[in-house]
Amino acid sequence: MEKSRRGVQLAFSLLFGLWLPCCLTQTTPSNAASATPTPSPSPQSLGERLKVRLTGYPRKHNEGRVELFYKGEWGTICDDDFSISNANVLCRQLGFVSATGWTHSAKYGKGQGKIWLDNVLCNGGEKSIEFCKSRGWGNSDCTHDEDAGVVCKDERIPGFVDSNVIDAHVDENKVEEVRLRPVVVTAKKKLPVTEGVVEVKFKEGWVQICDVGWTIKNTRVVCGMLGFPHERKVNKNFYKHLKKRAAEKVSRPKVNVSAGGRLYLERQKNHFHIHSVACTGTEIHLAACPLEFNKPNATSTCEGGMAAVVSCMPGPLFMQNSGMKKKLKTSSNVRLKGGARLGEGRVEVLKDNEWGTVCDDRWNLQSASVVCRELGFGSAKEALTGARMGQGMGPIYMNEVKCLGQEKSIWNCPFKNISSEDCQHVEDAAVRCNIPYMGLENTIRLTGGRTRYEGRLEVLGSDSNGTESWGLICGENWSTTEAMVACRQLGLGYANQGLQETWYWDGSNVTEMVMSGVKCTGSEMSLTQCQHHKTVNCQKAAAKFSAGVICSETASDLILDAPLVQQTVYIEDRPLHMLYCAAEEDCLSKSAAKANWPYGHRRLLRFSSQIHNIGRADFKPKAGRHSWVWHACHGHYHSMNIFTHYDLLNANGTKVAEGHKASFCLEDSDCQEGVSKRYECANFGDQGITVGCWDLYRHDIDCQWIDITDVKPGNYIMQIVINPDHEVAESDFTNNAMKCNCKYDGHRIWFHNCHVGDAFSEEAERRFEKYPGQLNNQIS
């Protein structure tokens, strides 16, 4: 019965769907002054989706001049008859929920090339701008002074591929891929390749660039594209000598030709594609430089020259195999945070010994490239806005950064100091940098998973004879930290989970364990850089006990509001008869068991803690609700065994008092503007913390304390650690700890210098550790 009813519904909706647009087309009036607008048919409507982008200057990721890609060419839309309905359609195509406005008269600058659409009339419900009425593709009486723009609401359509990227918009049809081809045989075996002949992809092969007029500025651009921060001069005499030897051996064909000679013999053929390059040095892609291509009928392709050769200096992370004597240091006052892959993240800068963020106003590829290069990477692949790599929590130091591209540091670029009204952390700038090709992803793979983001890990090892075969990793002690490294090496983002058993992923015939005892810090580029056993030692050697991972493009990131802890701290002497529930949940120190219940009291150090999720995915307990534990005393479910550790430490790091916080209930206490609460503990509700929300544990609730009844007066360090066992995956575990200097005189208590673990410079952290009077543990 249900199926037949659905069939009638489907038939009716199809009929109605076919009839309705027809009627609307006949009855909708046109208010265009010129030619009668008609729907704009295009090849895209039959197959691929029409490409739309926002460009222009100055702008943010959710605003800009509208450009459409049609017939292999980018073009603009004229502002005649433009409306908010048009803007809504375009914003949804770009992945935003709606438009907040639109602009006319080329507010974001004049475009180039075609004006593809004019007199566009949308009703607002169309799936694409191509289905709206207009004069037709390329039919316009406008100039680029009338280019239209849109301002979209900064809220993404769930699941939409991110488009809030400011990219180069270079003509990559001219030059798409670039590589260095090493000449010296030994260099071919080492990665990364730092010197060689510049080759560009052309049709099905690789072609060269003539080096006549080649400058160090061209070299800088090529090195930046390939992930290197600096360029070096090439010993051209060496290459000229090789070329000369190759030419001599051509006249004596019986003589064996060396590897170097063979390479240069090939270059004598008609392989030159570009004969002039004129980069300024600030471009982020060779295709953005003025290029002259060879004419098809040219008789001499590179008269008086040879193939362009480039030599690059890798950053410190990539120098382990290069054998270079001079190693460059990276910046100590700029860093990237919250990125899943090497060379990407939220830009943070150090000022007055405290880390802060950069606002995304006028953020572009030139400024992003300066950051990338000073951190030992190449030029920027993408400049990202709108807290694309998560939000920071500290100060915002810079706004409207305007680097030219040649600066040694972002601190050398012009920028504005800002007030809290100018920018919020939802506008934190981020980067994705070009990094050298290391081939790390070729020595690891996943098998058996339901998607490409999960499965049993297999690594490429070699036996005593040097023969390569694939093998498994022992699952013993395998954790989220090791999984983070594996997912990074695979290029699959963050680790959602590290698995010690993979019996349900029987995806290949590989059964031998080739790696065990793997222990990572979490920052390594590959698993081989982690500690591991020299010879395999695995108690459970069956394949079903091998390591596995579940990777994810996004992850949560929890961080404590340190100032709130400092502002709310106080001491309470609480009667024992009010602490039965707390004792049952193990929230008192061990000596409480020996107390004369219900008489007497315990001295409690109380404070509020507010835990923010500044990541890009909701924080949810790993355990399903079927395994949550009901605590009748407090009337709530615990979804994690330990959610937070509270410790009081003395000078040598020994705990003098401790408390712990089971996940009392994970819920959204409040959220920033524009974000809705999703998690609430009442009535066995879902537990978690939404991105952009926070969970507040007030100072006056049970277990929100440390029992300091047995603590003597003195100076201590108060430490709070969220998600201490890394039970739930996060994009950044370095900000999970918070510390305060603590002074206790036996009656009152003071907190000073409360900060998140990675918020201070190394120098400030050393000063923090040497808090006055702490060494003798007496009141100073």
Side-chain angles (χ1 to χ4, degrees), residues 343-354:
E344 70 174 29
R346 178 176 64 252
V347 179
E348 295 194 349
V349 291
L350 187 67
K351 181 182 178 184
D352 299 328
N353 287 315
E354 187 175 2

Side-chain angles (χ1 to χ4, degrees), residues 573-590:
D573 289 335
R574 194 164 181 82
L576 280 172
H577 68 82
M578 299 175 71
L579 290 170
Y580 280 103
C581 270
E584 185 184 308
E585 294 199 5
D586 198 25
C587 296
L588 300 173
S589 60
K590 291 176 183 175

Side-chain angles (χ1 to χ4, degrees), residues 145-203:
D145 290 311
E146 301 167 83
D147 283 343
V150 294
V151 181
C152 302
K153 185 177 181 183
D154 194 5
E155 186 181 334
R156 307 291 296 158
I157 295 171
F160 196 94
V161 177
D162 288 298
S163 65
N164 53 340
V165 173
I166 297 174
D167 58 26
H169 297 159
V170 295
D171 184 0
E172 292 187 359
N173 294 327
K174 294 191 295 184
V175 174
E176 191 173 350
E177 273 186 77
V178 179
R179 73 177 185 186
L180 292 185
R181 184 171 178 185
V183 174
V184 184
V185 177
T186 53
K188 294 180 182 180
K189 297 177 182 178
K190 290 184 178 179
L191 289 175
V193 175
T194 59
E195 181 171 313
V197 174
V198 182
E199 297 192 329
V200 298
K201 194 78 176 283
F202 180 66
K203 295 182 179 176

Side-chain angles (χ1 to χ4, degrees), residues 374-577:
E374 72 174 305
L375 290 172
F377 306 110
S379 51
K381 188 164 33 176
E382 294 170 350
L384 302 110
T385 61
R388 178 66 178 76
M389 293 290 175
Q391 299 180 30
M393 275 287 283
I396 303 173
Y397 288 132
M398 292 179 168
N399 190 18
E400 297 194 20
V401 180
K402 298 177 189 173
C403 300
L404 298 174
Q406 298 283 14
E407 296 87 350
K408 299 285 185 192
S409 169
I410 189 175
W411 285 106
N412 299 338
C413 304
F415 66 91
K416 285 184 180 177
N417 292 314
I418 64 170
S419 64
S420 57
E421 293 80 36
D422 292 329
C423 274
Q424 305 296 325
H425 281 297
V426 291
E427 300 169 272
D428 283 342
V431 296
R432 279 202 182 101
C433 306
N434 287 310
I435 64 169
Y437 175 71
M438 301 293 289
L440 298 174
E441 70 279 9
N442 298 328
T443 59
I444 187 171
R445 69 186 184 190
L446 294 182
T447 58
R450 296 159 297 183
T451 71
R452 71 185 190 95
Y453 286 93
E454 65 179 27
R456 178 182 292 165
L457 276 169
E458 295 181 0
V459 291
L460 194 61
S462 54
D463 58 20
S464 54
N465 300 322
T467 307
E468 292 185 337
S469 65
W470 289 93
L472 305 173
I473 300 174
C474 181
E476 289 168 19
N477 300 316
W478 181 262
S479 72
T480 305
T481 311
E482 288 71 46
M484 283 170 70
V485 178
C487 290
R488 183 182 299 123
Q489 186 177 351
L490 286 159
L492 294 178
Y494 305 100
N496 197 308
Q497 237 173 308
L499 302 154
Q500 296 184 357
E501 294 184 20
T502 51
W503 49 268
Y504 39 81
W505 281 336
D506 195 12
S508 79
N509 55 4
V510 176
T511 56
E512 187 186 355
M513 296 282 179
V514 296
M515 207 173 187
S516 66
V518 182
K519 189 174 183 181
C520 307
T521 64
S523 60
E524 295 88 349
M525 284 194 283
S526 71
L527 289 173
T528 53
Q529 293 177 356
C530 301
Q531 294 179 21
H532 55 90
H533 294 153
K534 287 184 179 177
T535 54
V536 176
N537 180 11
C538 189
Q539 300 299 315
K540 298 179 179 178
K544 65 181 180 179
F545 297 115
S546 62
V549 294
I550 300 175
C551 305
S552 173
E553 284 293 331
T554 58
S556 60
D557 186 14
L558 297 189
I559 189 168
L560 261 164
D561 186 338
L564 184 69
V565 174
Q566 186 165 317
Q567 292 158 16
T568 56
V569 65
Y570 66 97
I571 286 175
E572 180 195 10
D573 289 335
R574 194 164 181 82
L576 280 172
H577 68 82

